[in-house]
Amino acid sequence: MTIACTTGNHAQHDVYAALCPCRDVLDLLANKWTALAIGAMEEGPQRFGALQRRLQGISPKVLTSTLRRLEDGGFVDRTVYPAVPLHVEYELTELGRGVAVPLGVLRAWVETHLDTVRPDAPAGCS
């Protein structure tokens, strides 16, 4: 599907075209940690430690990288509060809240259809 560029920065947007910048955004949003981090921030601003606890299995390095990429893409705002120790919160921007909707639908679809997609999936999801 080709869409005309409304900003005039490109002739068109075509995610299937090899050099289209859409692919960079798709790469970011199709990442599992991105989808989960955005979902966790739907509840409101989150501190790094709270996000790490919520996203079981994510390393501090990967969480840091994910949050930086989301901030660079305009999906997340990072606010530093001058306190000792330093207090940093991450919050979805309007753009982030907008993409949270389709990502939420995808997460729900996965949970609903897991047994069909992977009938041999181990028990233990909670």
Side-chain angles (χ1 to χ4, degrees), residues 39-99:
M41 286 184 276
E42 283 183 282
E43 300 166 5
Q46 301 286 318
R47 294 181 73 170
F48 186 91
L51 285 168
Q52 189 173 13
R53 285 187 296 278
R54 178 86 166 117
L55 306 178
Q56 297 175 16
I58 193 168
S59 71
K61 180 180 177 179
V62 171
L63 180 55
T64 297
S65 173
T66 300
L67 291 170
R68 283 184 183 155
R69 289 181 69 200
L70 287 169
E71 184 180 11
D72 290 345
F75 298 101
V76 169
D77 278 333
R78 178 179 183 266
T79 304
V80 179
Y81 296 95
V84 178
L86 201 60
H87 179 105
V88 180
E89 286 186 345
Y90 299 89
E91 182 175 17
L92 294 176
T93 62
E94 183 177 338
L95 190 63
R97 286 187 297 278
V99 79

